Every structure is written in structure tokens, then in C-alpha cells.
């Protein structure tokens, strides 16, 4: 938890919420919990900033493929298609890495572009 990260001189926390389209296509309790987690991420990031603890959130879009056993291997992905658990895992790994050392308070949609797609009515 936070005390251990503080003793280590800092670190990273990554929460998992859900992207906008997922939150609007489920029940209200789930949507409220995930939206609240995004707000919690931003506030906790502010509270832990002075302790050099980064707090971010990954918000996967629709995931329809089960997680494979074994090592996580990158593969060619098609934007706009359903994602895999590995897609969200790679984003979380990045946010935990030293390469993301200057990123905190971010909600990162991992949704293949679903949040930005404009769908025609009808």
C-alpha cells in the first residue's frame, strides 16, 4: 500500500475503471463506481504528489477475448475492434514503468478508438 511505496521513496498505483461507452451501457451502480474511481484517481494523485507516488487509471473499452495463460505477447490489433485483456495490461504496465515517471492523475482510455468514434444515428 501507500506506506510501503512511501518507504521506497515513491512508486505507482494503477486502478482499472471502464471507458465512457462501457460505463453508459451497463447498470447505474457499475457506472457510478467506475466514474467514481476515475475521480478518486485524480484526487489521490494530488494527495500523494508530494510523496512521489503516481496514481493513474486505465479504462478499457469492450473486452471480449479471455486472458491467455502464459506470457503476454504483443500482437497486431485492429482499431475499433473489441480489445483483449492484454491490451489493458500493456497500458497498465506502461503507467507503472519508469517511462511514465512524469505522468500522474491520468485516466487512460484503452478502447481502440471507441470513445472518439462518431456513429451515425439510426
Amino acid at each position: 500500500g501507500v506506506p510501503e511505496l512511501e518507504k521506497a521513496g515513491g512508486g505507482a498505483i494503477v486502478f482499472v475503471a471502464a471507458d465512457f461507452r462501457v460505463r453508459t451501457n451497463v447498470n447505474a451502480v457499475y457506472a457510478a463506481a467506475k466514474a467514481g474511481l476515475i475521480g478518486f484517481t485524480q484526487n489521490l494523485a494530488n494527495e500523494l504528489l508530494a510523496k512521489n507516488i503516481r496514481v493513474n487509471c486505465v479504462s478499457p473499452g469492450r473486452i471480449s477475448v479471455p486472458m491467455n495463460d502464459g506470457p503476454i505477447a504483443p500482437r497486431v490489433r485492429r482499431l475499433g475492434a473489441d480489445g483483449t485483456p492484454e491490451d489493458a495490461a500493456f497500458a497498465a504496465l506502461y503507467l507503472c514503468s519508469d517511462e511514465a515517471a512524469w505522468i500522474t492523475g491520468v485516466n487512460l482510455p484503452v478502447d481502440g478508438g471507441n470513445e472518439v468514434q462518431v456513429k451515425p444515428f439510426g
Side-chain angles (χ1 to χ4, degrees):
V2 171
E4 289 79 17
L5 291 174
E6 194 173 359
K7 285 179 199 172
I13 298 170
V14 177
F15 295 113
V16 179
D19 85 331
F20 175 76
R21 289 187 189 258
V22 170
R23 291 192 316 268
T24 56
N25 287 305
V26 294
N27 66 61
V29 173
Y30 179 89
K34 293 300 186 175
L37 186 56
I38 294 167
F40 178 70
T41 297
Q42 294 166 334
N43 281 278
L44 190 60
N46 186 47
E47 289 179 21
L48 298 179
L49 191 66
K51 297 178 180 185
N52 198 37
I53 298 172
R54 298 177 295 108
V55 184
N56 294 294
C57 185
V58 172
S59 288
R62 198 168 97 172
I63 304 292
S64 64
V65 177
M67 184 79 153
N68 294 325
D69 289 337
I72 297 174
R75 65 185 103 179
V76 175
R77 300 291 305 129
R78 182 168 169 82
L79 291 175
D82 289 352
T84 67
E86 291 87 354
D87 293 323
F90 281 122
L93 286 171
Y94 167 70
L95 290 172
C96 289
S97 75
D98 290 341
E99 285 76 16
W102 209 50
I103 299 173
T104 193
V106 167
N107 174 43
L108 177 61
V110 181
D111 63 3
N114 288 330
E115 196 162 311
V116 297
Q117 288 181 9
V118 177
K119 306 267 185 187
F121 294 115

